[in-house]
Amino acid sequence: MAEKSNYFVLRAKAVPEVLLKVVEAKRLLDSGKLESVQEATDAVGISRSSFYKYKDDIFPFYEGRKGKTVNLVIQMDDEQGILSVVLKSIADAKANILTIHQSVPVNGIASLTLSVDVFPESDDVDDMAKQIESLKGIHYVKILARE
């Protein structure tokens, strides 16, 4: 028997109003505009008990290009400093490197394979790849997989 999904996508009109208000209260708290649950629930017009009843069942849905582990392959010149510029570009995109493997250079070109954890607040993965590819000494950037 196939396993049933625990997650569903619903149109906003199909979601009870209290759940939409819990979502808005969580957004207010996450944004830092309001500091307490009491302030957030007052702002959206629900009780604190409603907020606490549903808050753990509502979490953000992230685009396929964000909030995932991404594998990149990069071909670069075997020159001092290029790898550090690549790593800085990834950090500037607010992503974390999970694994890194650089091959032994052949004919002055090194292959770099990275697993990168891209968080929802990170920049777009495609933009990050384009930024890396535009760097001096980089010949090729390919996104292999998005998990």
Side-chain angles (χ1 to χ4, degrees), residues 63-140:
E63 293 178 46
R65 289 181 288 194
K66 295 185 177 182
K68 300 198 175 220
T69 300
V70 177
N71 298 314
L72 301 169
V73 172
I74 301 170
Q75 300 269 318
M76 61 187 189
D77 288 339
D78 180 28
E79 294 180 14
Q80 186 174 356
I82 294 178
L83 177 58
S84 63
V85 175
V86 169
L87 299 180
K88 182 181 181 318
S89 294
I90 293 168
D92 288 346
K94 301 175 195 85
N96 286 338
I97 297 170
L98 301 174
T99 63
I100 182 170
H101 174 51
Q102 183 175 349
S103 69
V104 175
V106 176
N107 297 327
I109 303 292
S111 182
L112 179 68
T113 305
L114 300 160
S115 291
V116 179
D117 203 6
V118 183
F119 296 106
E121 62 274 3
S122 301
D123 295 335
D124 186 276
V125 173
D126 295 321
D127 290 342
M128 180 180 69
K130 287 176 189 172
Q131 169 65 28
I132 293 168
E133 197 163 32
S134 72
L135 298 170
K136 183 180 182 227
I138 302 297
H139 299 281
Y140 174 82

